[in-house]
Every structure is written in structure tokens, then in C-alpha cells.
């Protein structure tokens, strides 16, 4: 393999079987959220902000050094997923 290629994982997941409250928890943990209450701003960064790229609604591109973190969260929420290795 050429040295300029980097190793990533393409992670696709399905939230169809999650209850709505667990779906919201999962999305907030992955992507973060912003909220405004009574003139106060709340911001919580998700883990994807620093450690991966969102390709579309249910697909992420993750560097290999962070894949265990994402797989742990998917397992914790019992989310069905598929993972593929990608060299870019």
C-alpha cells in the first residue's frame, strides 16, 4: 500500500429498533446538541465532532484509532451496524 493512504472505517448503523428516548440519547452522544433555556445557552459536543466525519444520516467515516469508542457506544445502545475498512 502507498504510504500516503490512511486507514479508516466506514460505519453504517440503523436506529429503527430504538425507542424514541434512547434514539435521542444516542444522537446527542454522537453528534452533540445546543439548547437555549431562560436566556442561557447550553452546548454539549458529541464525540463525532473531533473523532470522525458524518457522511450522511446513518453513515460515519472514523479513523482506526477511534473505532473502539464508536463500537462501544453502538453496543451500549444495542444499535445494529455494519463496518467496512477503507483506505483513503
Amino acid at each position: 500500500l502507498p504510504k500516503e493512504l490512511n486507514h479508516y472505517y466506514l460505519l453504517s448503523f440503523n436506529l429503527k429498533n430504538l425507542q424514541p428516548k434512547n434514539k435521542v440519547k444516542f444522537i446527542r452522544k454522537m453528534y452533540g446538541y445546543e439548547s437555549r433555556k431562560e436566556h442561557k445557552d447550553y452546548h454539549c459536543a458529541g464525540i463525532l465532532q473531533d473523532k470522525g466525519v458524518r457522511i450522511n444520516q446513518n453513515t460515519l467515516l472514523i479513523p482506526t484509532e477511534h473505532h473502539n469508542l464508536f463500537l462501544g457506544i453502538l453496543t451500549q445502545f444495542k444499535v445494529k451496524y455494519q463496518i467496512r475498512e477503507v483506505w483513503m
Side-chain angles (χ1 to χ4, degrees):
L1 292 171
K3 291 183 180 181
E4 59 270 357
L5 291 179
N6 295 318
H7 191 198
Y8 293 93
Y9 286 105
L10 190 63
L11 185 60
S12 300
F13 56 89
N14 188 344
L15 301 178
K16 183 173 69 171
N17 296 329
L18 286 184
Q19 294 179 357
K21 69 177 185 175
N22 290 333
K23 193 180 293 189
V24 170
K25 286 181 186 179
F26 175 81
I27 290 170
R28 285 184 170 192
K29 188 163 193 143
M30 294 294 275
Y31 306 124
Y33 66 94
E34 293 180 11
S35 177
R36 183 177 174 96
K37 285 187 179 179
E38 298 177 12
H39 307 293
K40 288 187 179 181
D41 292 330
Y42 297 95
H43 175 75
C44 182
I47 62 166
L48 186 64
Q49 215 163 18
D50 297 333
K51 298 175 175 63
V53 177
R54 187 175 183 178
I55 303 297
N56 66 22
Q57 187 174 3
N58 293 331
T59 306
L60 310 173
L61 186 65
I62 303 164
T64 54
E65 57 267 13
H66 300 301
H67 85 281
N68 285 331
L69 174 65
F70 286 91
L71 293 182
I73 292 170
L74 290 166
T75 304
Q76 173 188 351
F77 283 93
K78 298 177 183 169
V79 174
K80 293 182 181 181
Y81 65 89
Q82 293 179 338
I83 190 165
R84 292 186 173 89
E85 289 187 76
V86 179
W87 293 86
M88 294 177 37

